[in-house]
Amino acid sequence: MKTIWTRIGLSVLPLLLVAFSARAGMDEAADSTKTGWWVVGMEASNNSSFYGRNTANRYPYIAPSVSYIHRTGIWASVSVHQLFNTEDYIDQLDMTLGYSFKIRKRLEVDLAYSHFSFGENTPLVNASTTDALLAKAAYDWKYVYTAFTGSYILGSGNDVFTVLENSRYIPLNPLWQGLLPVGLDPKVSITAGTQRFSETHTTTTRKKAATGNGSSGSGPVGGILDPLKPGGGSNNPSQGPDEEVTTTTTTNVSRFRVLNYELKVPVVVYYGNFEFEPSWRYAIPVNKLEGDESRAQSFYTLSVKYTF
């Protein structure tokens, strides 16, 4: 098992190489018009989750990332999740290509496609997924910032998730007239999505019992013309009571339900090209299926980004 410092070193080194090479290439170009921005980031958390679902064991992780944002709105990113309590060097690799644009001054839309790869022994809840299509619309109401995200997840089973989020950035600088931009960005969100489970149905039907001689009717045309059975044998007293036949079927069912309620309180600090964001998040999973070990808990996360 690798130590935290080994994981951090292996994660930071490629990011630094990418950042320095990209910066060198931009300096050599000496173009007065900036066409895009690079963002190098690192995120660390005390546990992992997927749309409000988590495992019984905690899996702290670090997630280095590199993104490029073009001025046209096209962007691409690569991120790596490395769990502290596993043997795999890479537990999850995400590659995303997206496009952001504004419809109105306060309405922004984001479209993206992601591909996921997982380590052989990863315990992550979302390890069965392979790809995802995402569409996000965000509107600034001046006092509240509302974002609605819809995701179509591909994998062993195709699922749909939606996240409704309301937030508002609150600058704290006026409180003490600090030089560094500092603020709070509290968010309240509701996650809903499809759930797959099995439903069992039992059906009971009645079946006519056989007659005393072991047949339901003899002679031509099932005994209808049998002279020994007036009326076709319908009133034969030797006929036993009806039999009950029970049939049980099990089918896979998918339902769309609320999955999670969440409160997140990030502190955002800007220092030059750096952005620091320590945050506390409390998630409450609901409508859990049998065997789901998710529970309400707190998540502590630190995110650092450098933009150039």
Side-chain angles (χ1 to χ4, degrees):
M1 183 178 295
K2 303 175 292 300
T3 65
I4 289 179
W5 299 112
T6 303
R7 288 181 179 270
I8 293 177
L10 292 173
S11 302
V12 172
L13 181 58
L15 292 180
L16 293 177
L17 293 176
V18 171
F20 289 145
S21 61
R23 184 59 181 266
M26 294 175 67
D27 292 341
E28 291 175 0
D31 189 355
S32 58
T33 303
K34 195 175 182 66
T35 59
W37 299 263
W38 288 90
V39 180
V40 180
M42 173 70 75
E43 180 179 282
S45 180
N46 69 324
N47 198 7
S48 58
S49 64
F50 180 72
Y51 287 105
R53 294 301 186 251
N54 51 74
T55 56
N57 297 326
R58 288 184 177 270
Y59 290 100
Y61 69 88
I62 55 174
S65 62
V66 177
S67 304
Y68 179 75
I69 306 170
H70 195 267
R71 67 185 311 153
T72 59
I74 298 175
W75 57 274
S77 69
V78 177
S79 64
V80 176
H81 284 69
Q82 296 183 324
L83 307 183
F84 290 152
N85 300 327
T86 61
E87 295 295 334
D88 293 329
Y89 279 95
I90 297 179
D91 290 281
Q92 179 178 344
L93 173 65
D94 301 349
M95 295 178 288
T96 303
L97 179 65
Y99 177 56
S100 299
F101 57 95
K102 285 189 175 183
I103 297 180
R104 295 182 179 179
K105 183 178 181 180
R106 294 185 177 182
L107 178 61
E108 183 175 353
V109 176
D110 199 1
L111 306 175
Y113 164 77
S114 297
H115 177 71
F116 312 116
S117 298
F118 297 90
E120 182 179 356
N121 302 310
T122 182
L124 291 172
V125 177
N126 55 318
S128 62
T129 62
T130 58
D131 302 271
L133 297 174
L134 179 145
K136 177 180 179 181
Y139 189 82
D140 189 349
W141 303 90
K142 189 175 180 180
Y143 296 105
V144 177
Y145 185 81
T146 301
F148 181 80
T149 303
S151 303
Y152 183 65
I153 309 296
L154 304 175
S156 57
N158 300 337
D159 293 291
V160 176
F161 295 97
T162 60
V163 179
L164 177 63
E165 180 182 272
N166 288 287
S167 63
R168 183 74 273 170
Y169 179 78
I170 305 172
L172 300 180
N173 294 68
L175 297 179
W176 65 78
Q177 296 182 353
L179 297 178
L180 295 179
V182 180
L184 294 176
D185 193 16
K187 299 178 176 67
V188 177
S189 63
I190 300 175
T191 301
T194 53
Q195 289 179 306
R196 298 181 183 276
F197 55 95
S198 297
E199 234 180 29
T200 301
H201 300 274
T202 301
T203 304
T204 301
T205 58
R206 292 183 178 274
K207 180 180 179 182
K208 291 291 185 180
T211 58
N213 60 3
S215 64
S216 58
S218 59
V221 196
I224 296 178
L225 302 181
D226 192 339
L228 298 180
K229 297 180 180 180
S234 59
N235 295 321
N236 190 351
S238 64
Q239 185 173 351
D242 294 346
E243 296 180 354
E244 290 188 352
V245 179
T246 301
T247 304
T248 301
T249 58
T250 301
T251 57
N252 292 325
V253 179
S254 178
R255 290 181 181 173
F256 189 85
R257 292 178 172 179
V258 174
L259 302 179
N260 186 64
Y261 297 100
E262 190 171 288
L263 170 64
K264 183 178 181 180
V265 183
V267 179
V268 185
V269 182
Y270 295 97
Y271 182 74
N273 291 353
F274 284 95
E275 177 184 339
F276 301 90
E277 185 179 299
S279 65
W280 168 79
R281 177 167 60 97
Y282 190 73
I284 306 175
V286 294
N287 293 324
K288 297 186 296 183
L289 299 179
E290 183 179 356
D292 190 343
E293 299 175 325
S294 302
R295 59 185 179 85
Q297 60 181 288
S298 295
F299 296 83
Y300 301 94
T301 305
L302 174 62
S303 175
V304 181
K305 296 179 182 178
Y306 180 75
T307 303
F308 57 94

Coordinates of all heavy atoms in Angstrom, one line a residue, residues 48-51 53-55 59 81 83 86 88 90-94 115-132 153-157 159 161:
S48 N -15.4 9.6 -0.7 CA -15.9 9.8 -2.0 C -17.4 9.4 -2.1 O -17.9 8.7 -1.2 CB -15.1 8.9 -3.0 OG -15.2 7.5 -2.6
S49 N -18.1 10.0 -3.1 CA -19.5 9.7 -3.2 C -19.9 9.8 -4.7 O -19.1 10.4 -5.5 CB -20.4 10.6 -2.3 OG -20.2 11.9 -2.8
F50 N -21.1 9.3 -5.0 CA -21.6 9.4 -6.4 C -23.1 9.7 -6.4 O -23.8 8.8 -6.0 CB -21.3 8.1 -7.1 CG -21.8 8.1 -8.6 CD1 -21.1 8.8 -9.5 CD2 -22.8 7.3 -8.9 CE1 -21.5 8.8 -10.9 CE2 -23.3 7.3 -10.3 CZ -22.6 8.0 -11.2
Y51 N -23.4 10.9 -6.7 CA -24.8 11.3 -6.6 C -25.5 11.0 -5.3 O -26.6 10.5 -5.2 CB -25.6 10.7 -7.8 CG -25.3 11.4 -9.1 CD1 -24.5 10.7 -10.1 CD2 -25.7 12.7 -9.4 CE1 -24.2 11.3 -11.3 CE2 -25.4 13.2 -10.6 CZ -24.6 12.6 -11.6 OH -24.3 13.1 -12.8
R53 N -24.6 8.7 -3.1 CA -24.4 7.3 -2.7 C -22.9 7.1 -2.3 O -22.0 7.6 -3.0 CB -24.8 6.3 -3.8 CG -26.3 6.3 -4.0 CD -27.1 6.0 -2.8 NE -28.5 5.9 -3.0 CZ -29.4 6.7 -2.6 NH1 -29.0 7.8 -1.9 NH2 -30.7 6.5 -2.8
N54 N -22.7 6.4 -1.2 CA -21.3 6.1 -0.8 C -21.2 4.7 -0.2 O -22.3 4.0 0.0 CB -20.9 7.2 0.3 CG -21.8 7.3 1.4 OD1 -22.0 6.5 2.3 ND2 -22.6 8.4 1.4
T55 N -20.0 4.3 0.1 CA -19.8 2.9 0.6 C -19.7 3.0 2.1 O -19.6 4.0 2.7 CB -18.6 2.3 0.1 OG1 -17.4 3.2 0.3 CG2 -18.7 2.1 -1.5
Y59 N -13.3 6.2 1.9 CA -12.2 6.2 1.0 C -11.8 7.6 0.7 O -12.2 8.2 -0.3 CB -12.6 5.4 -0.3 CG -12.8 4.0 -0.1 CD1 -14.1 3.4 0.1 CD2 -11.7 3.1 -0.1 CE1 -14.3 2.1 0.2 CE2 -11.9 1.7 0.1 CZ -13.2 1.2 0.3 OH -13.4 -0.1 0.5
H81 N -8.5 10.2 -10.0 CA -8.9 10.0 -8.6 C -8.0 8.8 -8.1 O -8.0 7.7 -8.6 CB -10.4 9.6 -8.5 CG -11.3 10.7 -8.6 ND1 -11.5 11.4 -9.8 CD2 -12.1 11.4 -7.7 CE1 -12.4 12.4 -9.6 NE2 -12.7 12.4 -8.3
L83 N -7.5 6.8 -4.5 CA -7.9 6.5 -3.2 C -6.7 6.1 -2.3 O -5.8 5.4 -2.8 CB -9.0 5.4 -3.2 CG -10.2 5.6 -4.1 CD1 -11.1 4.4 -3.9 CD2 -10.8 6.9 -3.9
T86 N -6.4 1.8 -1.3 CA -6.4 0.8 -2.3 C -5.0 0.6 -2.9 O -4.1 1.4 -2.7 CB -7.3 1.2 -3.5 OG1 -6.9 2.4 -4.1 CG2 -8.8 1.4 -3.0
D88 N -4.4 0.2 -6.3 CA -4.3 0.7 -7.6 C -3.7 2.1 -7.6 O -4.1 2.9 -6.7 CB -5.7 0.8 -8.3 CG -6.2 -0.6 -8.6 OD1 -5.4 -1.5 -8.8 OD2 -7.4 -0.8 -8.5
I90 N -4.1 4.3 -10.0 CA -5.2 5.1 -10.6 C -6.5 4.3 -10.3 O -6.7 3.3 -10.9 CB -5.0 5.4 -12.1 CG1 -3.7 6.2 -12.3 CG2 -6.2 6.1 -12.6 CD1 -3.5 6.5 -13.8
D91 N -7.4 4.9 -9.5 CA -8.7 4.3 -9.2 C -9.7 4.7 -10.2 O -10.7 4.0 -10.5 CB -9.1 4.6 -7.8 CG -8.2 3.9 -6.8 OD1 -8.5 2.7 -6.6 OD2 -7.3 4.5 -6.2
Q92 N -9.6 6.0 -10.7 CA -10.6 6.5 -11.7 C -9.9 7.6 -12.5 O -9.2 8.4 -12.0 CB -11.8 7.1 -11.0 CG -12.8 7.7 -11.9 CD -14.1 8.2 -11.2 OE1 -14.3 7.9 -10.0 NE2 -14.9 9.0 -11.9
L93 N -10.1 7.4 -13.8 CA -9.6 8.4 -14.8 C -10.8 9.0 -15.6 O -11.6 8.2 -16.2 CB -8.6 7.7 -15.8 CG -8.2 8.6 -17.0 CD1 -7.3 9.8 -16.5 CD2 -7.3 7.7 -17.9
D94 N -10.9 10.3 -15.6 CA -12.0 11.0 -16.3 C -11.5 11.9 -17.4 O -10.5 12.6 -17.1 CB -12.9 11.9 -15.3 CG -13.5 11.1 -14.2 OD1 -13.4 9.9 -14.2 OD2 -13.9 11.7 -13.2
H115 N -15.8 10.3 -20.4 CA -15.5 8.9 -20.5 C -14.7 8.5 -19.2 O -13.8 9.3 -18.8 CB -14.6 8.6 -21.7 CG -14.2 7.2 -21.8 ND1 -15.1 6.1 -22.1 CD2 -13.0 6.6 -21.6 CE1 -14.5 5.0 -22.1 NE2 -13.2 5.2 -21.8
F116 N -15.1 7.4 -18.6 CA -14.5 7.0 -17.4 C -13.8 5.7 -17.5 O -14.2 4.8 -18.2 CB -15.6 6.8 -16.3 CG -16.6 8.0 -16.2 CD1 -17.9 7.8 -16.5 CD2 -16.1 9.2 -15.8 CE1 -18.8 8.8 -16.4 CE2 -17.0 10.3 -15.7 CZ -18.4 10.1 -16.0
S117 N -12.6 5.6 -16.8 CA -11.9 4.3 -16.7 C -11.6 4.1 -15.2 O -11.3 5.0 -14.5 CB -10.6 4.4 -17.5 OG -10.9 4.6 -18.9
F118 N -11.6 2.8 -14.8 CA -11.5 2.5 -13.4 C -10.4 1.5 -13.2 O -10.1 0.6 -14.1 CB -12.8 2.0 -12.8 CG -13.9 3.0 -12.8 CD1 -14.7 3.1 -13.9 CD2 -14.0 3.9 -11.8 CE1 -15.7 4.0 -14.0 CE2 -15.0 4.9 -11.8 CZ -15.9 4.9 -12.9
G119 N -9.7 1.5 -12.1 CA -8.8 0.5 -11.7 C -9.4 -0.8 -11.5 O -10.6 -0.9 -11.2
E120 N -8.6 -1.9 -11.6 CA -9.1 -3.2 -11.5 C -9.8 -3.5 -10.1 O -10.8 -4.2 -10.0 CB -8.0 -4.2 -11.7 CG -8.5 -5.7 -11.7 CD -7.3 -6.6 -12.0 OE1 -6.2 -6.2 -12.3 OE2 -7.6 -7.9 -12.0
N121 N -9.2 -3.0 -9.0 CA -9.7 -3.3 -7.7 C -10.4 -2.1 -7.0 O -10.6 -2.1 -5.8 CB -8.6 -3.7 -6.8 CG -7.9 -5.0 -7.4 OD1 -8.5 -5.9 -7.8 ND2 -6.5 -4.9 -7.5
T122 N -10.9 -1.1 -7.8 CA -11.5 0.1 -7.2 C -12.8 -0.3 -6.5 O -13.6 -1.0 -7.1 CB -11.7 1.2 -8.3 OG1 -12.2 2.3 -7.6 CG2 -12.6 0.7 -9.3
P123 N -13.0 0.3 -5.3 CA -14.3 0.0 -4.6 C -15.3 1.2 -4.9 O -16.4 1.2 -4.2 CB -13.9 0.0 -3.2 CG -12.8 1.0 -3.1 CD -12.1 1.0 -4.5
L124 N -15.1 2.1 -5.8 CA -16.0 3.2 -6.0 C -17.4 2.7 -6.5 O -17.5 1.8 -7.2 CB -15.4 4.1 -7.1 CG -14.1 4.9 -6.7 CD1 -13.5 5.6 -7.9 CD2 -14.4 5.9 -5.6
V125 N -18.4 3.5 -6.0 CA -19.8 3.1 -6.3 C -20.1 3.2 -7.8 O -20.8 2.4 -8.3 CB -20.7 4.1 -5.5 CG1 -22.2 3.8 -5.8 CG2 -20.5 3.9 -4.0
N126 N -19.4 4.1 -8.5 CA -19.7 4.3 -9.9 C -18.8 3.6 -10.8 O -18.7 3.9 -12.0 CB -19.6 5.8 -10.2 CG -18.3 6.4 -9.8 OD1 -17.8 6.1 -8.8 ND2 -17.7 7.3 -10.7
A127 N -18.2 2.5 -10.3 CA -17.2 1.8 -11.2 C -17.9 1.0 -12.3 O -17.2 0.6 -13.3 CB -16.5 0.7 -10.3
S128 N -19.2 0.9 -12.4 CA -19.9 0.2 -13.5 C -20.2 1.2 -14.6 O -20.7 0.7 -15.7 CB -21.1 -0.5 -13.0 OG -22.1 0.5 -12.5
T129 N -19.9 2.5 -14.4 CA -20.2 3.4 -15.5 C -19.1 3.5 -16.5 O -17.9 3.3 -16.1 CB -20.5 4.8 -14.9 OG1 -19.3 5.3 -14.2 CG2 -21.6 4.7 -13.9
T130 N -19.3 3.9 -17.7 CA -18.3 4.1 -18.7 C -18.3 5.4 -19.4 O -17.3 6.0 -19.7 CB -18.5 3.0 -19.8 OG1 -19.8 3.1 -20.4 CG2 -18.3 1.6 -19.3
D131 N -19.5 6.0 -19.6 CA -19.6 7.3 -20.3 C -20.8 8.1 -19.7 O -21.7 7.5 -19.0 CB -19.8 7.1 -21.8 CG -18.7 6.3 -22.4 OD1 -17.8 6.9 -22.9 OD2 -18.9 5.1 -22.5
A132 N -20.8 9.4 -20.0 CA -21.9 10.2 -19.5 C -22.1 11.4 -20.4 O -21.1 12.0 -20.9 CB -21.6 10.7 -18.0
I153 N -26.2 8.5 -17.8 CA -25.0 7.7 -17.5 C -25.1 6.4 -18.2 O -26.1 5.7 -18.2 CB -24.9 7.5 -16.0 CG1 -25.0 8.8 -15.2 CG2 -23.6 6.7 -15.6 CD1 -23.9 9.7 -15.4
L154 N -24.0 6.0 -18.9 CA -23.9 4.8 -19.7 C -23.0 3.8 -18.9 O -22.1 4.2 -18.3 CB -23.4 5.0 -21.1 CG -24.1 6.0 -21.9 CD1 -23.4 6.3 -23.2 CD2 -25.6 5.6 -22.2
G155 N -23.4 2.5 -19.0 CA -22.6 1.5 -18.3 C -23.3 0.2 -18.3 O -24.0 -0.2 -19.3
S156 N -23.2 -0.5 -17.2 CA -23.9 -1.8 -17.1 C -25.4 -1.6 -17.1 O -26.2 -2.5 -17.6 CB -23.6 -2.5 -15.8 OG -23.8 -1.7 -14.7
G157 N -25.9 -0.4 -16.7 CA -27.3 0.0 -16.8 C -27.4 1.5 -17.1 O -26.6 2.2 -16.5
D159 N -28.7 5.1 -16.8 CA -29.4 5.8 -15.7 C -29.5 7.3 -16.0 O -28.6 7.8 -16.8 CB -28.8 5.6 -14.4 CG -28.9 4.1 -13.9 OD1 -30.0 3.7 -13.6 OD2 -27.8 3.4 -13.8
F161 N -29.8 11.1 -14.1 CA -29.7 11.8 -12.8 C -29.9 13.3 -13.1 O -29.5 13.8 -14.1 CB -28.3 11.6 -12.2 CG -28.0 10.2 -11.7 CD1 -27.3 9.4 -12.5 CD2 -28.5 9.8 -10.5 CE1 -27.0 8.1 -12.1 CE2 -28.2 8.5 -10.1 CZ -27.5 7.6 -10.9

